Amino acid sequence: MNDVANAVRAAMPGVRADLEQLVRIPGIAFDGFDHEPVRRGADEVQRLLAEAGAATARQIRHGEGQPSVLAHFPAPEGQPTVLLYAH
């Protein structure tokens, strides 16, 4: 258990810096609002997921809507799939 605690402790500064960078990007998307920051936020999330080892990390759009980021981290053989949805 100490190995896990030490790994989390070592990773936390970088995780916090990434989160601080993400929350600085406005995430409001309504008519008349500049949507560039929303796209920039999606770019950043995609980059972070790719750096975290996602087998795939891509953006998808439905029509003229805002981007969603879809990433896939394969589970070990025989293990369940987990779906996370957040906005």
Side-chain angles (χ1 to χ4, degrees):
M1 193 59 144
N2 285 338
D3 290 343
V4 172
N6 289 336
V8 169
R9 196 173 297 110
M12 194 54 66
V15 170
R16 182 176 173 159
D18 290 339
L19 181 58
E20 288 174 357
Q21 182 175 344
L22 281 174
V23 300
R24 286 186 184 105
I25 301 171
I28 301 171
F30 57 86
D31 290 340
F33 189 85
D34 180 11
H35 292 195
E36 188 280 329
V38 175
R39 291 186 288 273
R40 190 165 30 103
D43 290 343
E44 186 64 15
V45 169
Q46 181 181 1
R47 181 188 68 77
L48 289 168
L49 289 168
E51 286 180 1
T56 60
R58 62 187 175 99
Q59 293 181 39
I60 57 174
R61 291 194 182 182
H62 299 284
E64 296 296 317
Q66 298 303 314
S68 297
V69 180
L70 179 65
H72 181 239
F73 292 84
E77 185 66 35
Q79 297 300 308
T81 297
V82 177
L83 171 68
L84 301 175
Y85 173 78
H87 58 87

